[in-house]
Amino acid sequence: MARLFVAVAALALLATACGETSSDAAKDDGDGGKGNSSSGEYDAKGIGLAYDIGGQGDQSFNDAAFTGYERARKDFKIGGVDMEPGDGESSADKTQRIEQLARQGYNPVIGVGFIYAPAIQEVAKKYPKTTFGIVDDNTVKAENVADLVFHEEQGSYLAGVAAAKATKVKHVGFIGGVDIPIIHKFEAGFVQGVKSVDPKIKIEKRYLTEKPEEGGFASPDKGQDAASGQLEAGADVLYHAAGLSGQGVIQEAGSQKKWAIGVDSDQYEQKALAKYKKYILGSALKDVGGAVYDLTKSVVDGKPMTGTQRYDLKSGRVGFSDSNPAYKDMKDVVAAVEQARKDIISGKVEVKTRP
């Protein structure tokens, strides 16, 4: 499906058909993107989705959001537009993008990533009849905003247990895209999970950049370099929370025939990583697509979700994938991960959110 690549200049275009994908016309079926629900008529153009750094094709966070966007459009027979971030863009550019979507009549309008918090905080006030969603941030408080947040640390704990059980040398690694609080949650859960199996296991830790704009989530080469260093140091299982940069982690681990653990999406199933899938032990799942779908359904049904919507293991929106047959054959690893899942859900284990 064709997508809209946004540059600053493009934001000055007229707010009519600008931004619709090539499939929107077919989806609209002559009614401007309207669909019917049991609660009444849905009268918006469809879903407006604004991607985080790395954009669609990152095989991880943004692609997870896209799956929900695509499924909602199909199930509810509505239109939609997904928009890419520009290189080196400012906060003002993000605000313009969110406002453009709202002005064009999309509902809900969803920002994928905490970087959209200031934009949605500002634009939501101007469009009170539009429902806005923001993924990975719970600071925006408004009657027409849904904060879609996750217990990432829980899925990461399962990744830590899997890594600890799979390592043959008692040495694993964590690679975070950017040194920020939300990625600290991934590290905290992973480290706790590893230590729950064996406190003596050595853990390499590396953050690719200090700030998102420095490319920590969008530079496979940085991920590959970090992975190379950790493997050279002796680690034989690597877990990344680095978005598009994680492709480099998986590629390097796979090329050295070592285990990699993916994040957000089931990276074993990603076509771009097919060459290395044999070495993808599993992925710490974060069902961003499910959250996008849930919010869209609530708007179509005439009962928009608002406030903080927090997803965890119990809800099924966080987890650990078992797509790799090699993982399923590792009965002790599977059993340990399943027991950890049960212990977290029951409250027996409380996962830390800070390293």
Side-chain angles (χ1 to χ4, degrees), residues 142-154:
E143 293 184 356
N144 59 330
V145 176
D147 298 321
L148 310 173
V149 292
F150 298 79
H151 281 288
E152 297 93 350
E153 72 279 3
Q154 294 181 351

Side-chain angles (χ1 to χ4, degrees), residues 7-15 96 100 103:
V8 175
L11 294 168
L13 294 175
L14 293 175
Q96 286 179 295
Q100 182 184 10
R103 185 173 66 247

